[in-house]
Amino acid sequence: MKKLIIFSGSGISAESGISTFRDSGGLWEQYRIEDVATPRAWKNNPAMVQEFYNLRRKQIMECEPNNAHILIAQLESNYEVTVITQNIDDLHERAGSTNVLHLHGNIRQSKSSGPNKEKAYYPIDGWELQMTDLCPDGYVLRPHVVWFEEEVPMYEVAMQQIAEADILIVIGTSLQVYPAAGLINYAINAETRYLIDPNAEELNVPSSFRVIAKNAVEGMTELLQELG
Ligand code: APR
């Protein structure tokens, strides 16, 4: 079977009702990154950061995968599929994808806020993580989310996966956040590369990509007819 990599961003979950970050009305228009998504934000006001992610988790748990997530899961019948997602939601998994790598973490899990934060991830029961919830080492549990200025622990693994891709599908990402966006340059063996994004014409996409300037659901439906 051919190896197919999906590289997804927040746009794939837009039609499930989860806002993107940088579109008009996106999350970073309502919140300042430095207030909620950096190590300093956690140091200065951990309760506010915890609350921000609790609300994100609650919203995500109330949403359902859309047809783009579902069509991607169905690709596993004909391809060896790896989903590399920048999203912290679990909609790819809930749609049935079995091989999902979360570059920026998974909001349904927590981790230690101490020095060994990548040692273990713990499933969160319900939507609320409390400041009194501690890891076995005694540190407050924080969301398993990679903040700005933090290392991306899964980057190397993602890079190796992308280098082996026969087909690459990039979907719903503005390709503005690094190092994640740089991953598409490692698809050195891919015979075909696609990009699905309604705003594709304004993104900085290499000419080797075939662009489908549509929403995720419509774009995936169209692409599937071609891929089979
Ligand atoms: N279908 C497909 N794509 C869509 C849709 C849709 N229905 N609606 C919007 N988009 C596209 C936008 O055109 C844009 O290119 O999704 C993209 C969203 O871009 P961003 O908001 O920048 O989100 P993303 O690329 O996922 O951000 C990367 O930034 O703050 C962080 O850590 C966060 O993982 C995130 C990273």
Side-chain angles (χ1 to χ4, degrees), residues 79-154:
Y79 297 91
E80 188 191 330
V81 181
T82 301
V83 177
I84 300 175
T85 186
Q86 297 167 85
N87 299 345
I88 56 175
D89 70 53
D90 59 347
L91 297 184
H92 281 297
E93 287 94 335
R94 281 201 263 147
S97 282
T98 58
N99 189 13
V100 184
L101 186 158
H102 285 271
L103 264 189
H104 294 160
N106 177 346
I107 197 164
R108 304 293 300 271
Q109 297 175 351
S110 64
K111 63 185 179 186
S112 169
S113 56
N116 292 320
K117 60 186 167 56
E118 312 306 336
K119 193 173 82 179
Y121 306 124
Y122 309 95
I124 299 171
D125 204 15
W127 63 273
E128 221 172 352
L129 196 55
Q130 312 274 1
M131 292 305 291
T132 45
D133 293 335
L134 307 181
C135 73
D137 294 344
Y139 292 97
V140 175
L141 284 170
R142 60 170 262 192
H144 170 24
V145 168
V146 176
W147 289 325
F148 287 88
E149 296 158 29
E150 289 189 313
E151 300 258 310
V152 180
M154 293 305 284

Side-chain angles (χ1 to χ4, degrees), residues 9-12 14-15 20-23 28 86-87 104 148 172-175 177 196-199 203 214-216:
S10 58
I12 196 173
E15 288 162 274
T20 62
F21 295 95
R22 294 172 188 80
D23 286 308
W28 296 147
Q86 297 167 85
N87 299 345
H104 294 160
F148 287 88
T173 172
S174 65
L175 297 170
V177 171
I196 301 175
D197 194 299
N199 197 30
L203 304 181
K214 295 195 168 151
N215 283 350

Side-chain angles (χ1 to χ4, degrees), residues 41-110:
W42 176 260
K43 192 161 170 257
N44 290 345
N45 197 342
M48 187 170 111
V49 174
Q50 200 76 286
E51 177 66 5
F52 171 76
Y53 286 102
N54 280 343
L55 292 177
R56 306 274 78 71
R57 190 176 303 108
K58 182 168 188 285
Q59 193 205 8
I60 284 167
M61 289 172 75
E62 286 163 0
C63 291
E64 298 295 333
N66 63 51
N67 257 335
H69 297 105
I70 291 167
L71 292 173
I72 286 170
Q74 289 172 356
L75 284 170
E76 291 187 17
S77 313
N78 297 324
Y79 297 91
E80 188 191 330
V81 181
T82 301
V83 177
I84 300 175
T85 186
Q86 297 167 85
N87 299 345
I88 56 175
D89 70 53
D90 59 347
L91 297 184
H92 281 297
E93 287 94 335
R94 281 201 263 147
S97 282
T98 58
N99 189 13
V100 184
L101 186 158
H102 285 271
L103 264 189
H104 294 160
N106 177 346
I107 197 164
R108 304 293 300 271
Q109 297 175 351
S110 64

Side-chain angles (χ1 to χ4, degrees), residues 200-221:
E201 308 303 344
E202 280 159 47
L203 304 181
N204 188 14
V205 191
S207 57
S208 55
F209 277 78
R210 202 188 115 202
V211 167
I212 302 175
K214 295 195 168 151
N215 283 350
V217 172
E218 205 187 337
M220 269 312 296
T221 307

